[in-house]
Amino acid sequence: MRRACLLAVVAGCALTSRSAPLHYRYFAPVATLSTASPTTLACPRLRLGRVSSSDHLRYRIAHRRSAVEVELYETLRWTERPEDYVRRALASSLFDQRGLHQAVDGVAPTLDVELTAFEEVERGAQRFGRVALRYRPVDEHDVLERQTIEIEREVGTAEITRVVEVIGDALAAATEELGRRVARQLCR
């Protein structure tokens, strides 16, 4: 009986004690694209189709320790889903920077993009920001191309604000490269 009372007291303390609340921090990468004026190309219209992301890429910031291990930070969050950042940067690269005509209806090639990496990468003492975009432009009959663009930029410090800045730089570089490739493919 005495043992049961002691267990009840210990369990009660564990159930009623309060731990420190988690303090969440929210971040938004800034993808600064080049400021070149849009070019007018003789290209078909283009529809920006589905922009999706791998299942682990949601609001929690991803941290990769190896090629096979991904952790999600407990208290570090994106202010929006990463694919929303990609959609905006890609629309800017394709339609604002390159002057492609954006189709919203009718027959037009469609560009589908999957975000497969939007993360901090750790290799020994070095840290990187990585963005990877798998894309495929399709017309009404065929897949025109299927490629992946992966951009990594060195962070230089473990400070999360610097990591977010570098991921933003990698996002800008990846979407600009994707814009170049798609324009070259469609505007032949």
Side-chain angles (χ1 to χ4, degrees), residues 8-73:
V9 168
V10 170
C13 291
L15 293 175
T16 59
S17 66
R18 293 187 176 193
S19 60
L22 293 176
H23 174 70
Y24 293 101
R25 294 174 60 196
Y26 292 87
F27 299 89
V30 177
T32 307
L33 300 173
S34 66
T35 57
S37 56
T39 57
T40 306
L41 301 171
C43 301
R45 301 176 325 142
L46 175 68
R47 177 180 293 109
L48 184 54
R50 185 166 187 235
V51 178
S52 61
S53 65
S54 297
D55 284 340
H56 72 284
L57 297 175
R58 296 290 179 243
Y59 289 100
R60 291 171 64 181
I61 295 177
H63 173 85
R64 184 174 292 278
R65 292 190 189 279
S66 74
V68 296
E69 179 185 4
V70 177
E71 294 179 1
L72 300 175
Y73 283 112

Side-chain angles (χ1 to χ4, degrees), residues 51 82-91 113 115 133 171 175:
V51 178
E83 66 257 27
D84 294 334
Y85 301 123
V86 171
R87 178 174 279 284
R88 275 194 300 277
L90 199 50
V113 178
L115 176 64
L133 304 173
L171 173 60
T175 55

Side-chain angles (χ1 to χ4, degrees), residues 104-166:
V104 292
D105 66 356
V107 177
T110 301
L111 177 65
D112 293 323
V113 178
E114 180 186 6
L115 176 64
T116 58
F118 198 79
E119 60 200 11
E120 174 188 17
V121 178
E122 181 181 332
R123 283 194 209 102
Q126 292 182 306
R127 294 183 186 277
F128 301 86
R130 177 172 44 203
V131 173
L133 304 173
R134 183 179 302 144
Y135 69 96
R136 62 179 203 138
V138 298
D139 64 15
E140 61 272 8
H141 303 290
D142 299 309
V143 173
L144 303 174
E145 184 177 24
R146 186 179 315 213
Q147 296 290 326
T148 299
I149 295 171
E150 184 174 312
I151 303 290
E152 255 186 26
R153 298 279 193 258
E154 189 168 355
V155 173
T157 177
E159 178 60 40
I160 191 63
T161 55
R162 181 67 183 138
V163 170
V164 170
E165 290 170 357
V166 169

